[in-house]
mmCIF file of all heavy atoms in Angstrom:
data_model
loop_
_atom_site.group_PDB
_atom_site.id
_atom_site.type_symbol
_atom_site.label_atom_id
_atom_site.label_comp_id
_atom_site.label_asym_id
_atom_site.label_seq_id
_atom_site.Cartn_x
_atom_site.Cartn_y
_atom_site.Cartn_z
ATOM 1 N N ALA A 133 78.935 46.413 -41.500
ATOM 2 C CA ALA A 133 79.817 46.489 -40.325
ATOM 3 C C ALA A 133 80.924 47.515 -40.531
ATOM 4 O O ALA A 133 81.301 48.241 -39.599
ATOM 5 C CB ALA A 133 80.409 45.107 -40.040
ATOM 6 N N ALA A 134 81.449 47.593 -41.742
ATOM 7 C CA ALA A 134 82.534 48.540 -42.029
ATOM 8 C C ALA A 134 82.064 49.986 -41.886
ATOM 9 O O ALA A 134 82.843 50.870 -41.509
ATOM 10 C CB ALA A 134 83.077 48.289 -43.432
ATOM 11 N N GLU A 135 80.783 50.232 -42.182
ATOM 12 C CA GLU A 135 80.264 51.595 -42.127
ATOM 13 C C GLU A 135 79.974 52.074 -40.712
ATOM 14 O O GLU A 135 79.857 53.274 -40.482
ATOM 15 C CB GLU A 135 78.983 51.688 -42.969
ATOM 16 C CG GLU A 135 79.227 51.563 -44.464
ATOM 17 C CD GLU A 135 77.923 51.604 -45.257
ATOM 18 O OE1 GLU A 135 76.874 51.882 -44.630
ATOM 19 O OE2 GLU A 135 77.963 51.362 -46.466
ATOM 20 N N LYS A 136 79.853 51.149 -39.756
ATOM 21 C CA LYS A 136 79.445 51.571 -38.407
ATOM 22 C C LYS A 136 80.493 52.435 -37.721
ATOM 23 O O LYS A 136 80.175 53.239 -36.847
ATOM 24 C CB LYS A 136 79.097 50.367 -37.535
ATOM 25 C CG LYS A 136 80.235 49.477 -37.103
ATOM 26 C CD LYS A 136 79.710 48.312 -36.263
ATOM 27 C CE LYS A 136 80.783 47.285 -35.955
ATOM 28 N NZ LYS A 136 81.813 47.734 -35.042
ATOM 29 N N ALA A 137 81.759 52.317 -38.156
ATOM 30 C CA ALA A 137 82.831 53.072 -37.505
ATOM 31 C C ALA A 137 82.627 54.585 -37.615
ATOM 32 O O ALA A 137 82.964 55.342 -36.696
ATOM 33 C CB ALA A 137 84.184 52.674 -38.106
ATOM 34 N N LYS A 138 82.061 55.034 -38.741
ATOM 35 C CA LYS A 138 81.947 56.489 -38.941
ATOM 36 C C LYS A 138 80.883 57.136 -38.051
ATOM 37 O O LYS A 138 80.801 58.355 -37.962
ATOM 38 C CB LYS A 138 81.658 56.786 -40.404
ATOM 39 C CG LYS A 138 80.349 56.269 -40.940
ATOM 40 C CD LYS A 138 80.238 56.602 -42.432
ATOM 41 C CE LYS A 138 78.973 56.018 -43.042
ATOM 42 N NZ LYS A 138 78.914 56.249 -44.503
ATOM 43 N N PHE A 139 80.070 56.297 -37.402
ATOM 44 C CA PHE A 139 79.021 56.853 -36.537
ATOM 45 C C PHE A 139 79.465 56.951 -35.070
ATOM 46 O O PHE A 139 78.737 57.494 -34.240
ATOM 47 C CB PHE A 139 77.754 55.994 -36.633
ATOM 48 C CG PHE A 139 77.157 55.935 -38.010
ATOM 49 C CD1 PHE A 139 77.079 54.740 -38.695
ATOM 50 C CD2 PHE A 139 76.689 57.086 -38.626
ATOM 51 C CE1 PHE A 139 76.537 54.669 -39.970
ATOM 52 C CE2 PHE A 139 76.139 57.033 -39.906
ATOM 53 C CZ PHE A 139 76.076 55.815 -40.585
ATOM 54 N N HIS A 140 80.659 56.392 -34.758
ATOM 55 C CA HIS A 140 81.230 56.458 -33.394
ATOM 56 C C HIS A 140 80.240 55.937 -32.340
ATOM 57 O O HIS A 140 79.936 56.604 -31.335
ATOM 58 C CB HIS A 140 81.645 57.895 -33.049
ATOM 59 C CG HIS A 140 82.541 58.511 -34.081
ATOM 60 N ND1 HIS A 140 83.839 58.088 -34.286
ATOM 61 C CD2 HIS A 140 82.303 59.508 -34.990
ATOM 62 C CE1 HIS A 140 84.379 58.800 -35.272
ATOM 63 N NE2 HIS A 140 83.468 59.668 -35.721
ATOM 64 N N LEU A 141 79.732 54.742 -32.590
ATOM 65 C CA LEU A 141 78.743 54.145 -31.698
ATOM 66 C C LEU A 141 79.421 53.364 -30.585
ATOM 67 O O LEU A 141 80.521 52.832 -30.756
ATOM 68 C CB LEU A 141 77.825 53.214 -32.501
ATOM 69 C CG LEU A 141 77.051 53.865 -33.654
ATOM 70 C CD1 LEU A 141 76.392 52.810 -34.532
ATOM 71 C CD2 LEU A 141 76.018 54.852 -33.121
ATOM 72 N N THR A 142 78.733 53.275 -29.434
ATOM 73 C CA THR A 142 79.263 52.514 -28.295
ATOM 74 C C THR A 142 78.359 51.330 -28.010
ATOM 75 O O THR A 142 77.161 51.339 -28.331
ATOM 76 C CB THR A 142 79.354 53.397 -27.036
ATOM 77 O OG1 THR A 142 78.049 53.920 -26.743
ATOM 78 C CG2 THR A 142 80.316 54.547 -27.249
ATOM 79 N N GLU A 143 78.924 50.315 -27.396
ATOM 80 C CA GLU A 143 78.143 49.121 -27.072
ATOM 81 C C GLU A 143 77.209 49.397 -25.895
ATOM 82 O O GLU A 143 77.602 50.000 -24.904
ATOM 83 C CB GLU A 143 79.074 47.950 -26.729
ATOM 84 C CG GLU A 143 79.901 47.472 -27.906
ATOM 85 C CD GLU A 143 80.652 46.194 -27.604
ATOM 86 O OE1 GLU A 143 80.379 45.586 -26.549
ATOM 87 O OE2 GLU A 143 81.503 45.801 -28.421
ATOM 88 N N LYS A 144 75.965 48.951 -26.030
ATOM 89 C CA LYS A 144 74.979 49.113 -24.959
ATOM 90 C C LYS A 144 74.153 47.846 -24.856
ATOM 91 O O LYS A 144 74.019 47.084 -25.809
ATOM 92 C CB LYS A 144 74.054 50.309 -25.240
ATOM 93 C CG LYS A 144 74.729 51.664 -25.057
ATOM 94 C CD LYS A 144 73.715 52.792 -25.122
ATOM 95 C CE LYS A 144 74.381 54.129 -24.841
ATOM 96 N NZ LYS A 144 73.389 55.245 -24.880
ATOM 97 N N HIS A 145 73.558 47.640 -23.678
ATOM 98 C CA HIS A 145 72.704 46.477 -23.446
ATOM 99 C C HIS A 145 71.362 46.950 -22.915
ATOM 100 O O HIS A 145 71.251 48.028 -22.328
ATOM 101 C CB HIS A 145 73.350 45.510 -22.441
ATOM 102 C CG HIS A 145 74.711 45.060 -22.871
ATOM 103 N ND1 HIS A 145 74.908 44.083 -23.812
ATOM 104 C CD2 HIS A 145 75.953 45.494 -22.498
ATOM 105 C CE1 HIS A 145 76.208 43.900 -24.002
ATOM 106 N NE2 HIS A 145 76.862 44.746 -23.215
ATOM 107 N N GLU A 146 70.331 46.129 -23.098
ATOM 108 C CA GLU A 146 68.993 46.480 -22.605
ATOM 109 C C GLU A 146 68.995 46.580 -21.084
ATOM 110 O O GLU A 146 69.474 45.681 -20.400
ATOM 111 C CB GLU A 146 67.971 45.409 -23.015
ATOM 112 C CG GLU A 146 67.477 45.561 -24.438
ATOM 113 C CD GLU A 146 66.289 44.672 -24.692
ATOM 114 O OE1 GLU A 146 66.418 43.465 -24.496
ATOM 115 O OE2 GLU A 146 65.241 45.188 -25.084
#
Side-chain angles (χ1 to χ4, degrees):
E135 291 178 8
K136 70 181 172 69
K138 64 182 176 184
F139 299 117
H140 307 291
L141 301 169
T142 58
E143 294 189 10
K144 287 189 176 181
H145 303 281
E146 279 192 303

